[in-house]
Amino acid sequence: MTLNDVWFIAIAVLWVGYFVLEGFDFGVGMLLPVLSRDGVERRVMINTIGPVWDGNEVWLLTAGGATFAAFPEWYASLFSGFYLPLFVILVALILRGVAFEYRGKRDSDRWRANWDKAIVFGSFVPALLWGVAFANIVRGVKLDASHEYVGTFWDLLNPYALLGGLVTLSLFATHGAIFVSLKTVGEIRVRARSIALQTGVVAAVLAVAFLVWTQVRSGSAVTIVMAALAALAFVGALGMVVAGREGWSFGLSAAAIGLAVASLFVVLYPDVLPSTLDPANSLTVTNAAASPKTLGIMTWVAVIFLPVVLVYQSWSYWVFRRRIGVQDIPA
């Protein structure tokens, strides 16, 4: 195994972490008008992710930075070819972050309602478009011999990619509902469990269709096993919701998302961005990688600082582990 392979695995791990962690707070944001009945309940829902949502976004920044440093050719082709959807995701994430900080700056119901809409929008759009983007990466795009994307924006909206977007959207909604049920008490918890089952059934159907399509296209024995384990974990998560075991349900839901995302990277390897025009034009872990010296320096930096980040984030989740309810919100 070379450093190219190590950093491909590292980037895969970062994206798995991002989808698992940011996935549930996207879900909470999307379900804000569905699960809450008044301003106090909306505050309860926002408080469930308040201490962690910005830390979860660090996984995205780290994944993007690692891609830029370890595979600059991949980064250049990806961010130029996917410029418009990635720009829309960026705008949505900025608007969402501002909304979390600004909704409480004025004592006005209309003010808070408008920022709550921004939270819903800023959660819905990335949840959908990340699935579209990753499905296109796995499917391949129109790369010419110089590794330039020569397709159009509409080429990215193919049936396979759109199905991928619906999968991430429904999975994140279910993941978020399970998280709310894990973190709250009272009526919100009951409603969250009900919504988790409803969205979970839809997500299961869409995810199975997407994973089967992926396996038919370019699967292997390893990815079939991973996809099957992901499906079993998700079914187990829904079963734990019925049993009222939210902790187990959330863990199994996280495992299902993690296994599904990891299986896509296994399908992709050794390519990082396949070309649908000519396989010879594809970007791989070899021709898209940075120099060995760069990868070596990055490896030492990761070995030193990654454990610190993981310990700190784990500690923050432990500190804010208690369930909350409307009784915890001051008048």
Side-chain angles (χ1 to χ4, degrees):
M1 181 179 291
T2 65
L3 284 178
N4 300 12
D5 300 318
V6 169
W7 275 99
F8 179 82
I9 295 171
I11 289 171
V13 170
L14 290 171
W15 279 109
V16 167
Y18 176 69
F19 273 53
V20 168
L21 297 176
E22 189 85 309
F24 72 74
D25 60 47
F26 280 152
V28 174
M30 287 189 288
L31 295 173
L32 198 60
V34 178
L35 291 178
S36 60
R37 296 293 182 265
D38 53 35
V40 177
E41 291 189 345
R42 283 193 293 274
R43 181 62 182 271
V44 171
M45 289 186 63
I46 291 173
N47 282 7
T48 63
I49 60 174
V52 298
W53 71 266
D54 49 354
N56 294 341
E57 287 193 350
V58 172
W59 288 78
L60 172 62
L61 299 176
T62 308
T67 304
F68 173 77
F71 299 99
E73 192 81 8
W74 184 14
Y75 182 93
S77 297
L78 186 63
F79 278 73
S80 60
F82 290 37
Y83 179 82
L84 182 57
L86 290 177
F87 179 77
V88 172
I89 289 174
L90 180 61
V91 170
L93 290 176
I94 291 173
L95 184 62
R96 178 172 173 266
V98 171
F100 280 129
E101 301 296 336
Y102 273 64
R103 71 178 304 275
K105 297 300 183 182
R106 287 175 58 182
D107 187 14
S108 166
D109 292 338
R110 183 176 180 182
W111 172 270
R112 285 188 289 269
N114 288 333
W115 285 117
D116 288 344
K117 293 175 183 176
I119 292 174
V120 175
F121 173 82
S123 301
F124 178 90
V125 170
L128 176 67
L129 292 186
W130 279 130
V132 173
F134 264 83
N136 273 299
I137 292 173
V138 174
R139 174 181 178 270
V141 295
K142 295 180 178 179
L143 291 181
D144 62 16
S146 59
H147 300 150
E148 293 285 342
Y149 177 68
V150 293
T152 66
F153 170 75
W154 303 109
D155 291 330
L156 301 177
L157 301 181
N158 54 81
Y160 179 76
L162 292 175
L163 177 59
L166 292 176
V167 169
T168 53
L169 184 69
S170 56
L171 279 177
F172 291 168
T174 306
H175 199 39
I178 293 172
F179 182 76
V180 172
S181 71
L182 173 65
K183 290 289 293 179
T184 60
V185 295
E187 294 183 7
I188 300 179
R189 178 188 180 190
V190 175
R191 289 196 293 268
R193 289 168 59 181
S194 176
I195 291 294
L197 290 175
Q198 295 174 42
T199 58
V201 171
V202 175
V205 173
L206 293 173
V208 167
F210 180 76
L211 291 174
V212 169
W213 194 344
T214 302
Q215 300 309 315
V216 170
R217 284 178 55 87
S218 51
S220 64
V222 174
T223 57
I224 289 174
V225 171
M226 294 177 70
L229 290 175
L232 289 174
F234 194 70
V235 171
L238 298 182
M240 290 296 103
V241 170
V242 175
R245 304 291 297 276
E246 289 97 344
W248 280 99
S249 179
F250 182 75
L252 288 170
S253 176
I257 294 174
L259 284 167
V261 176
S263 71
L264 296 182
F265 277 93
V266 175
V267 168
L268 190 60
Y269 183 84
D271 291 334
V272 294
L273 190 60
S275 172
T276 57
L277 297 179
D278 185 349
N281 299 341
S282 298
L283 286 169
T284 68
V285 293
T286 301
N287 64 18
S291 67
K293 183 176 181 180
T294 299
L295 296 178
I297 294 173
M298 289 175 59
T299 301
W300 280 110
V301 171
V303 168
I304 295 171
F305 289 103
L306 183 59
V308 177
V309 174
L310 292 177
V311 169
Y312 174 78
Q313 191 163 25
S314 300
W315 175 78
S316 66
Y317 274 89
W318 175 255
V319 169
F320 295 101
R321 66 190 181 278
R322 189 175 68 86
R323 292 179 183 268
I324 59 174
V326 294
Q327 71 278 0
D328 297 303
I329 305 301

